[in-house]
Amino acid sequence: MKTVQKKYNLGALGCLLLLASCGDMKTIVEAPKVTLDPPLKELEVADDAAADAAAPAANPGGDPLAEKQWALKQVGAPEAWAVGGVGVRRMRVAILSSGVDYNHEDLQGNIAINDAENTGSDQLKPQPIDKKDSDGNGYVDDLVGWDTVDNDGFPYDIQGDGTAAAGVIGAIHNNGLGIKGILGEVSIVPVRYIDSTGATSVDKLIEALRYVNSLKKKVDVVLIQVANVDFTQSEGVDTGGFFPEGMGSGLSQKSTLDAELKKLEAEDIPVIVNSGNRRTDIERSKGVINSLVTKSNVFAVTSVDDQDVKPEAANFSPRTVITAAPGVGILTTAPGSKYAEAKGTFIAAAHVAAAITLAKAHSNRATTKDLRSLLLTKGDIVQGLSAQVLGSNRLNVGKLVSGIMQPAGQ
């Protein structure tokens, strides 16, 4: 198997010299952007999109691939922008997945920088990170998030799913590049807990949640790519991979995971999760998803195509899946400043995470209970989803934002 060297570069953010991984050694380098071989798993690059990405149009006032983003219109994103704007940088979204390409031309400006770990003072400067836990949260040099796989502060995405979700959420608007996210301005906190083969474990998810809970500056929304693993097993099984971890019993895993989830629940921070892609009702699952959906602040999401039909593989539940969102043929960002079509319930969940972030930007007092009610009452009713989604609804961002901005009693 070919090894992909992990390198870091913050490009336009500054000429910061970062740590690049090379086997078991850590060398301080100023590295180029990453290129990938083999192609991304679970991402299907469309021929026309690839051609456009290779030679982007000179269009400083727009986003040349936005016309291919059918999902934005389906979920009413333009209506949301018209009534409530495109987002604000102060809103923070943690993405727990395979990491994020924080160098990406269409994401870089929306990546959260941990100022307390920025040893370059007011702006990123050409000096090494200092190998210290400058903000006292227990994580050394977590400048742009955390990587539980490599145990460092640079969660670069090799597998691709996290970068795809980040593009749906926060690809920058009107920069003359690529696509539009549902949020044109946001701060994305990448947390990598899925490795380059798509494998992970419950223990890695616990570590990822522990990092989110350690942040001095709290996030507003958490998006989790759910690991489909049974607590009674000691192996880690996730998005198509098998990765033996052998770390602890199912009982201790479940109680530890529950403790980290309860911290987010106590803070009333919305947690968005994908229902999974195993052709089943998630209420029949004995895995992580069932521990997640018992929490009052968790929103489970399934996917639909451009005709509002749920794919056969997408998991469902008429009692616990709160809504559906586009998750088939979604043009989004891919590692290496590329663009690709992505699919799956995690991509659908990214739409909902972005929508909730945009809504919360207009009402800091909105509780997860309020947001749950609005998702159910302000979505688009799709009768074909009656046996698959609570309230038969599909996300409508425009109605959600309008609903949260509407004065009480109207």
Side-chain angles (χ1 to χ4, degrees):
M1 184 176 73
K2 182 173 180 179
T3 300
V4 180
Q5 185 173 351
K6 183 177 180 180
K7 299 179 179 180
Y8 313 102
N9 173 29
L10 291 180
L13 290 176
C15 294
L16 184 66
L17 298 179
L18 302 177
L19 290 177
S21 174
C22 183
D24 293 330
M25 298 177 62
K26 295 278 187 177
T27 306
I28 295 177
V29 298
E30 185 175 14
K33 293 179 180 178
V34 173
T35 56
L36 298 179
D37 181 19
L40 298 175
K41 180 182 177 183
E42 296 290 333
L43 290 178
E44 301 173 353
V45 180
D47 291 338
D48 53 354
D52 286 341
N59 183 13
D63 303 281
L65 301 181
E67 64 182 25
K68 302 176 186 294
Q69 293 181 271
W70 60 267
L72 292 178
K73 183 177 180 180
Q74 180 162 309
V75 299
E79 288 79 6
W81 302 332
V83 299
V86 299
V88 288
R89 200 83 66 205
R90 63 178 169 79
M91 299 301 295
R92 291 162 54 84
V93 181
I95 301 178
L96 279 59
S97 179
S98 58
V100 172
D101 176 5
Y102 41 76
N103 297 320
H104 198 288
E105 63 182 13
D106 223 359
L107 297 173
Q108 193 180 81
N110 279 343
I111 300 297
I113 301 297
N114 183 355
D115 292 331
E117 292 287 0
N118 177 15
T119 57
S121 187
D122 293 335
Q123 59 183 356
L124 296 173
K125 294 180 179 179
Q127 72 179 77
I129 53 178
D130 59 9
K131 299 183 181 180
K132 296 178 181 178
D133 179 15
S134 301
D135 62 354
N137 69 344
Y139 296 85
V140 175
D141 294 323
D142 55 324
L143 181 66
V144 289
W146 192 252
D147 185 335
T148 72
V149 178
D150 290 344
N151 198 36
D152 63 35
F154 302 98
Y156 189 88
D157 184 11
I158 298 172
Q159 196 263 354
D161 287 352
T163 301
V168 170
I169 293 169
I172 298 167
H173 289 202
N174 301 324
N175 59 352
L177 300 168
I179 63 170
K180 293 181 186 292
I182 289 177
L183 293 153
E185 290 190 13
V186 68
S187 292
I188 294 170
V189 181
V191 185
R192 182 177 182 235
Y193 88 103
I194 295 174
D195 73 13
S196 60
T197 70
T200 189
S201 68
V202 176
D203 299 282
K204 291 298 182 188
L205 175 57
I206 291 169
E207 287 182 42
L209 288 166
R210 187 174 290 129
Y211 173 72
V212 171
N213 283 320
S214 79
L215 293 171
K216 304 293 184 180
K217 189 175 183 179
K218 295 299 182 183
V219 298
D220 298 283
V221 175
V222 177
L223 171 64
I224 302 176
Q225 185 171 9
V226 177
N228 294 302
V229 60
D230 192 324
F231 286 110
T232 63
Q233 300 178 24
S234 61
E235 294 86 7
V237 182
D238 196 30
T239 55
F242 181 78
F243 185 63
E245 287 286 338
M247 296 174 62
S249 70
L251 180 60
S252 63
Q253 283 183 335
K254 191 169 185 177
S255 59
T256 306
L257 176 64
D258 191 62
E260 294 301 326
L261 291 171
K262 282 183 177 178
K263 293 176 185 177
L264 294 171
E265 188 178 34
E267 296 278 352
D268 204 34
I269 296 172
V271 176
I272 319 306
V273 302
N274 58 304
S275 63
N277 304 288
R278 296 196 169 192
R279 298 177 169 84
T280 188
D281 186 328
I282 61 173
E283 290 191 83
R284 299 176 183 174
S285 169
K286 297 180 181 179
V288 171
I289 188 68
N290 267 344
S291 285
L292 289 162
V293 297
T294 61
K295 301 295 179 288
S296 62
N297 61 325
V298 171
F299 302 77
V301 181
T302 194
S303 62
V304 292
D305 62 17
D306 59 353
Q307 301 299 311
D308 279 332
V309 175
K310 185 189 76 67
E312 182 180 355
N315 290 351
F316 59 93
S317 172
R319 284 160 48 94
T320 55
V321 171
I322 189 71
T323 192
V328 179
I330 305 301
L331 182 61
T332 185
T333 48
S337 284
K338 297 178 182 178
Y339 302 87
E341 286 191 355
K343 62 182 179 180
T345 57
F346 181 53
I347 296 302
H351 284 80
V352 176
I356 287 179
T357 303
L358 190 56
K360 284 194 69 176
H362 295 289
S363 178
N364 290 330
R365 293 182 294 178
T367 65
T368 53
K369 183 178 180 180
D370 296 331
L371 292 164
R372 184 179 297 273
S373 176
L374 284 168
L375 279 172
L376 287 170
T377 59
K378 301 298 183 180
D380 289 336
I381 303 302
V382 179
Q383 294 301 329
L385 296 175
S386 61
Q388 300 159 338
V389 177
L390 183 65
S392 307
N393 84 94
R394 191 254 301 133
L395 174 70
N396 187 303
V397 188
K399 293 179 181 178
L400 178 67
V401 171
S402 295
I404 208 162
M405 293 177 68
Q406 185 174 327
Q410 295 187 16

